Amino acid sequence: QLQLQESGPGLVKPSETLSLTCTVSGGSISSSTYYWGWIRQPPGKGLEWIGSVFHTGRTHYNPSRKSRVTISVDTSKKQFSLKVRSVTAADTAVYYCARISSGTYFEMIDYWGQGTLVTVSS
Amino acid sequence: DIQMTQSPSSLSASVGDRVTITCRASQSINTYLNWYQQKPGKAPKLLIYAASSLQSGVPSRFSGSGSGTDFTLTISSLQPEDFATYYCQQSHSDPTFGQGTRLEIK
């Protein structure tokens, strides 16, 4: 059974960089059928896609977040990572890592990590 | 960005009721539409993909329909474990989610 687990600091100071890592277990990170993404959810609010990465390192970002976000992958460790620079209180959210399955007529988020709350505060 | 609008934002229903949630896209997304269920403190769970395909392990009381810009999620007979928040998500272009529909017990 595929499992994804987020890790990283739960508290980040304003203007600093938020860094999270997702570790994949129980399956391959290098399949061409899947790619890997980050989604966030501010407290009490809805879901926002941040961006994604393929096992080759090719990335795709939400245009509204692109200037501050970097997503990378380390296939040898079966991990992918998220960095958000110059954070503000508006970046406070539960951050989920996820697997996206892609086919000819569909693309779906079929596995999610449990989520990790990151609070931006001094 | 493709905007996704769900209605209603919340609804109250009873166990055994038939419930329908709608989702409208700001432009045609063919059938690139997924539905998720989220319970408090938990990650979302995929219910329906490609507008009408039931994800493995999801009870058959859940069904989805639609194409183009208008979609529906139907729960044929509500069970106690179905009270949650439901989100639609388009995967035609950069993924975007609806604002959510909170399903509460009447």
XYZ file of all heavy atoms in Angstrom, chain A residues 30-86:
467
model
N 9.307 6.509 -9.429
C 9.856 6.738 -10.771
C 8.973 6.259 -11.906
O 9.405 6.232 -13.046
C 11.239 6.065 -10.885
O 12.131 6.618 -9.945
N 7.748 5.888 -11.637
C 6.849 5.441 -12.691
C 6.453 6.598 -13.592
O 6.253 7.724 -13.133
C 5.588 4.826 -12.088
O 4.606 4.607 -13.079
N 6.290 6.305 -14.877
C 5.874 7.348 -15.821
C 4.383 7.628 -15.746
O 3.887 8.577 -16.343
C 6.248 6.930 -17.245
O 5.602 5.712 -17.578
N 3.658 6.817 -14.996
C 2.205 6.979 -14.894
C 1.812 7.978 -13.813
O 0.679 8.469 -13.791
C 1.554 5.626 -14.565
O 2.041 4.637 -15.468
C 0.042 5.699 -14.689
N 2.740 8.275 -12.934
C 2.411 9.135 -11.809
C 3.323 10.354 -11.756
O 4.435 10.330 -12.275
C 2.593 8.376 -10.480
C 1.962 7.006 -10.440
C 2.719 5.880 -10.158
C 0.603 6.851 -10.685
C 2.147 4.623 -10.121
C 0.023 5.591 -10.656
C 0.802 4.485 -10.368
O 0.233 3.247 -10.345
N 2.836 11.400 -11.113
C 3.727 12.452 -10.673
C 3.305 12.888 -9.286
O 2.364 12.324 -8.712
C 3.830 13.581 -11.704
C 2.555 14.272 -12.075
C 2.256 15.524 -11.547
C 1.670 13.734 -13.006
C 1.115 16.209 -11.908
C 0.515 14.407 -13.358
C 0.251 15.644 -12.801
O -0.891 16.309 -13.165
N 4.033 13.835 -8.724
C 3.961 14.095 -7.289
C 3.714 15.571 -7.039
O 4.317 16.437 -7.687
C 5.281 13.631 -6.650
C 5.577 12.223 -7.067
C 6.324 11.835 -8.143
C 5.054 11.020 -6.478
N 6.307 10.456 -8.247
C 5.544 9.936 -7.247
C 4.236 10.758 -5.382
C 5.231 8.610 -6.942
C 3.921 9.441 -5.083
C 4.422 8.388 -5.846
N 2.828 15.848 -6.109
C 2.425 17.240 -5.946
C 2.266 17.680 -4.499
O 2.314 16.871 -3.559
N 2.102 18.982 -4.362
C 1.832 19.628 -3.071
C 0.543 20.429 -3.174
O 0.333 21.156 -4.149
C 2.985 20.541 -2.675
C 4.256 19.819 -2.308
C 5.305 19.553 -3.130
C 4.579 19.261 -1.028
N 6.275 18.858 -2.442
C 5.859 18.672 -1.152
C 3.938 19.203 0.217
C 6.504 18.031 -0.086
C 4.570 18.567 1.262
C 5.835 17.994 1.122
N -0.281 20.280 -2.161
C -1.554 20.991 -2.042
C -1.614 21.556 -0.628
O -1.129 20.912 0.316
C -2.746 20.032 -2.280
C -2.710 19.491 -3.717
C -4.081 20.731 -2.034
C -2.500 18.024 -3.809
N -2.194 22.725 -0.474
C -2.307 23.277 0.871
C -3.729 23.700 1.175
O -4.546 23.913 0.271
C -1.335 24.440 1.069
C -1.696 25.722 0.353
C -0.637 26.779 0.636
N -1.017 28.078 0.091
C -0.269 29.177 0.201
N 0.901 29.120 0.849
N -0.682 30.308 -0.313
N -4.005 23.830 2.472
C -5.350 24.182 2.931
C -5.224 25.080 4.155
O -4.933 24.606 5.260
C -6.142 22.911 3.277
C -7.580 23.147 3.641
C -8.358 21.850 3.766
O -7.844 20.839 4.223
N -9.633 21.874 3.334
N -5.439 26.380 3.987
C -5.447 27.274 5.154
C -6.512 26.842 6.145
O -7.537 26.260 5.743
C -5.762 28.642 4.539
C -5.349 28.524 3.110
C -5.643 27.106 2.734
N -6.320 27.102 7.419
C -7.289 26.666 8.434
C -8.705 27.118 8.111
O -8.957 28.303 7.874
C -6.765 27.338 9.713
C -5.306 27.490 9.480
C -5.158 27.770 8.025
N -9.627 26.165 8.070
C -11.028 26.460 7.824
C -11.365 26.822 6.394
O -12.500 27.239 6.109
N -10.418 26.670 5.475
C -10.644 27.079 4.086
C -10.499 25.901 3.125
O -10.373 24.754 3.541
C -9.691 28.209 3.725
C -9.921 29.464 4.551
C -9.108 30.638 4.026
C -9.403 31.889 4.834
N -8.621 33.055 4.349
N -10.522 26.207 1.842
C -10.486 25.179 0.820
C -9.083 24.795 0.399
O -8.088 25.215 0.988
N -9.016 23.979 -0.648
C -7.775 23.383 -1.119
C -7.161 24.199 -2.253
O -7.873 24.682 -3.140
C -8.060 21.956 -1.603
C -8.617 21.013 -0.534
C -9.342 19.841 -1.179
C -7.486 20.521 0.371
N -5.835 24.309 -2.223
C -5.118 25.021 -3.268
C -3.945 24.183 -3.754
O -3.088 23.764 -2.970
C -4.597 26.366 -2.755
C -3.802 27.130 -3.803
C -3.133 28.373 -3.261
O -2.699 28.370 -2.093
O -3.007 29.350 -4.014
N -3.893 23.938 -5.064
C -2.766 23.234 -5.659
C -1.559 24.166 -5.744
O -1.688 25.303 -6.199
C -3.154 22.749 -7.050
C -2.040 22.145 -7.840
C -1.445 20.937 -7.648
C -1.395 22.710 -8.980
N -0.474 20.729 -8.594
C -0.415 21.803 -9.423
C -1.542 23.918 -9.663
C 0.399 22.053 -10.514
C -0.731 24.168 -10.758
C 0.224 23.237 -11.170
N -0.407 23.703 -5.249
C 0.809 24.517 -5.263
C 1.659 24.200 -6.487
O 2.173 25.100 -7.179
C 1.640 24.270 -3.991
C 0.829 24.595 -2.736
C 2.935 25.094 -4.033
C 1.492 24.167 -1.438
N 1.860 22.921 -6.758
C 2.672 22.535 -7.890
C 2.995 21.062 -7.846
O 2.597 20.347 -6.923
N 3.730 20.608 -8.870
C 4.015 19.188 -8.968
C 5.360 18.948 -9.630
O 5.941 19.853 -10.255
C 2.903 18.493 -9.755
O 2.782 19.074 -11.037
N 5.836 17.709 -9.482
C 7.124 17.335 -10.058
C 7.048 15.914 -10.589
O 6.424 15.043 -9.979
C 8.251 17.476 -9.002
C 8.044 16.521 -7.833
C 9.629 17.269 -9.628
N 7.673 15.693 -11.728
C 7.775 14.368 -12.312
C 9.088 13.750 -11.825
O 9.989 14.471 -11.379
C 7.747 14.503 -13.832
C 7.397 13.246 -14.573
C 6.239 12.533 -14.284
C 8.209 12.769 -15.592
C 5.914 11.378 -14.976
C 7.897 11.622 -16.288
C 6.746 10.925 -15.983
N 9.239 12.448 -11.954
C 10.445 11.793 -11.430
C 11.702 12.253 -12.178
O 12.813 12.148 -11.659
C 10.314 10.271 -11.490
C 10.296 9.698 -12.864
N 11.438 9.294 -13.524
C 9.273 9.452 -13.706
C 11.115 8.815 -14.716
N 9.808 8.904 -14.848
N 11.529 12.819 -13.369
C 12.674 13.339 -14.133
C 13.137 14.690 -13.610
O 14.199 15.174 -14.008
C 12.296 13.503 -15.599
O 11.151 14.383 -15.671
C 11.929 12.160 -16.227
N 12.339 15.287 -12.734
C 12.650 16.618 -12.228
C 11.851 17.730 -12.884
O 11.924 18.885 -12.467
N 11.115 17.380 -13.930
C 10.272 18.393 -14.587
C 9.197 18.857 -13.620
O 8.545 18.061 -12.970
C 9.624 17.801 -15.830
C 8.842 18.796 -16.667
C 8.180 18.100 -17.841
N 7.006 17.352 -17.396
C 6.587 16.216 -17.963
N 7.262 15.691 -18.965
N 5.505 15.615 -17.524
N 9.021 20.165 -13.528
C 8.076 20.740 -12.578
C 6.973 21.529 -13.272
O 7.109 21.943 -14.431
C 8.788 21.683 -11.592
O 9.532 22.662 -12.350
C 9.726 20.919 -10.684
N 5.906 21.736 -12.525
C 4.799 22.578 -12.989
C 4.220 23.255 -11.773
O 3.886 22.601 -10.788
C 3.745 21.742 -13.702
C 2.710 22.559 -14.380
N 2.996 23.412 -15.435
C 1.377 22.686 -14.160
C 1.896 24.008 -15.822
N 0.907 23.585 -15.077
N 4.104 24.571 -11.830
C 3.695 25.339 -10.663
C 2.381 26.079 -10.904
O 2.075 26.491 -12.027
C 4.767 26.364 -10.294
C 6.109 25.766 -9.916
C 7.252 26.073 -10.662
C 6.235 24.915 -8.821
C 8.484 25.535 -10.320
C 7.463 24.385 -8.477
C 8.586 24.695 -9.226
O 9.805 24.162 -8.876
N 1.657 26.293 -9.804
C 0.520 27.206 -9.832
C 1.076 28.594 -10.201
O 1.946 29.116 -9.500
C -0.144 27.230 -8.451
C -1.372 28.106 -8.395
O -1.492 29.093 -9.117
N -2.282 27.755 -7.504
N 0.598 29.186 -11.285
C 1.171 30.480 -11.720
C 1.147 31.555 -10.634
O 2.045 32.403 -10.582
C 0.282 30.873 -12.910
C -0.235 29.578 -13.425
C -0.427 28.700 -12.219
N 0.141 31.491 -9.763
C 0.035 32.528 -8.729
C 1.053 32.322 -7.599
O 1.222 33.195 -6.762
C -1.377 32.551 -8.157
O -1.644 31.370 -7.434
N 1.703 31.189 -7.562
C 2.680 30.889 -6.504
C 4.092 30.705 -7.052
O 5.046 30.609 -6.292
C 2.288 29.603 -5.749
C 0.890 29.601 -5.202
C 0.725 30.591 -4.077
N -0.683 30.756 -3.714
C -1.209 31.848 -3.242
N -0.458 32.915 -3.053
N -2.481 31.911 -2.930
N 4.211 30.679 -8.367
C 5.443 30.271 -9.018
C 6.672 31.055 -8.571
O 7.756 30.522 -8.427
C 5.271 30.394 -10.534
C 6.419 29.879 -11.346
C 6.096 29.934 -12.832
C 7.219 29.346 -13.657
N 6.885 29.324 -15.104
N 6.509 32.350 -8.296
C 7.668 33.192 -8.005
C 8.331 32.842 -6.680
O 9.515 33.156 -6.477
C 7.256 34.660 -8.007
O 6.327 34.914 -6.966
N 7.603 32.176 -5.772
C 8.174 31.897 -4.441
C 8.363 30.404 -4.168
O 8.823 30.039 -3.095
C 7.270 32.475 -3.348
C 7.158 33.976 -3.348
C 6.519 34.480 -2.052
N 5.140 34.039 -1.901
C 4.675 33.357 -0.856
N 5.487 33.013 0.142
N 3.393 33.031 -0.788
N 8.009 29.560 -5.115
C 7.956 28.118 -4.852
C 8.990 27.355 -5.672
O 9.206 27.645 -6.848
C 6.535 27.584 -5.170
C 6.498 26.064 -5.152
C 5.528 28.150 -4.173
N 9.602 26.358 -5.034
C 10.462 25.398 -5.734
C 10.102 23.997 -5.263
O 10.019 23.751 -4.051
C 11.950 25.648 -5.470
O 12.300 26.974 -5.900
C 12.805 24.641 -6.227
N 9.862 23.115 -6.212
C 9.614 21.698 -5.909
C 10.697 20.882 -6.588
O 11.038 21.135 -7.750
C 8.210 21.268 -6.381
C 7.136 22.065 -5.639
C 8.008 19.778 -6.155
C 5.717 21.799 -6.138
N 11.235 19.923 -5.855
C 12.302 19.078 -6.392
C 12.071 17.632 -5.989
O 11.243 17.342 -5.116
C 13.663 19.566 -5.895
O 13.700 19.536 -4.486
N 12.795 16.727 -6.641
C 12.646 15.299 -6.359
C 14.013 14.656 -6.209
O 14.977 15.055 -6.880
C 11.832 14.605 -7.480
C 12.538 14.683 -8.821
C 11.482 13.168 -7.104
N 14.100 13.691 -5.298
C 15.302 12.874 -5.112
C 14.856 11.416 -5.196
O 14.375 10.855 -4.208
C 15.955 13.178 -3.764
C 17.285 12.440 -3.581
O 17.480 11.382 -4.224
O 18.117 12.897 -2.786
N 14.981 10.830 -6.376
C 14.459 9.475 -6.573
C 15.241 8.446 -5.762
O 14.669 7.432 -5.365
C 14.476 9.096 -8.063
O 15.796 9.262 -8.576
C 13.511 9.974 -8.850
N 16.511 8.702 -5.488
C 17.308 7.738 -4.729
C 16.808 7.604 -3.296
O 16.926 6.539 -2.682
C 18.782 8.140 -4.743
O 18.980 9.349 -4.042
N 16.256 8.676 -2.782
C 15.704 8.651 -1.424
C 14.192 8.454 -1.428
O 13.569 8.385 -0.363
C 16.031 9.955 -0.697
C 17.506 10.190 -0.425
C 17.715 11.497 0.322
C 19.186 11.729 0.627
N 19.395 13.036 1.325
N 13.577 8.406 -2.613
C 12.122 8.315 -2.754
C 11.454 9.480 -2.012
O 10.510 9.292 -1.234
C 11.594 6.963 -2.288
C 12.114 5.801 -3.132
C 11.575 4.454 -2.689
C 10.115 4.296 -2.982
N 9.614 2.940 -2.674
N 11.983 10.668 -2.264
C 11.459 11.872 -1.624
C 11.265 12.980 -2.649
O 11.964 13.050 -3.655
C 12.431 12.373 -0.548
C 12.593 11.457 0.637
C 13.601 12.000 1.634
O 14.513 12.753 1.288
N 13.443 11.628 2.895
N 10.300 13.847 -2.367
C 10.194 15.105 -3.094
C 9.953 16.211 -2.079
O 9.482 15.954 -0.961
C 9.146 15.057 -4.203
C 7.738 14.764 -3.773
C 6.792 15.786 -3.689
C 7.323 13.460 -3.504
C 5.480 15.507 -3.329
C 6.025 13.187 -3.134
C 5.098 14.202 -3.041
N 10.324 17.426 -2.468
C 10.387 18.505 -1.501
C 9.722 19.775 -2.008
O 9.592 19.990 -3.213
C 11.852 18.803 -1.155
O 12.473 17.669 -0.588
N 9.348 20.605 -1.053
C 8.720 21.894 -1.327
C 9.459 22.978 -0.578
O 9.773 22.809 0.604
C 7.250 21.879 -0.860
C 6.517 23.220 -0.838
C 6.238 23.692 -2.261
C 5.218 23.111 -0.050
N 9.755 24.064 -1.250
C 10.286 25.255 -0.596
C 9.426 26.443 -1.000
O 9.142 26.642 -2.185
C 11.739 25.512 -0.982
C 12.720 24.476 -0.452
C 14.150 24.868 -0.723
C 15.130 23.777 -0.321
N 15.085 23.487 1.129
N 9.005 27.208 -0.002
C 8.273 28.451 -0.225
C 9.065 29.570 0.433
O 9.276 29.557 1.650
C 6.847 28.387 0.358
C 6.105 29.692 0.059
C 6.083 27.191 -0.172
N 9.492 30.506 -0.377
C 10.348 31.589 0.114
C 9.509 32.762 0.603
O 8.361 32.948 0.212
C 11.287 32.058 -1.009
C 12.271 30.985 -1.457
C 13.099 31.466 -2.650
N 12.290 31.584 -3.870
C 11.957 30.561 -4.649
N 12.357 29.337 -4.354
N 11.218 30.770 -5.741
N 10.136 33.567 1.450
C 9.547 34.839 1.904
C 8.122 34.654 2.405
O 7.190 35.331 1.948
C 9.584 35.870 0.758
O 10.895 36.042 0.281
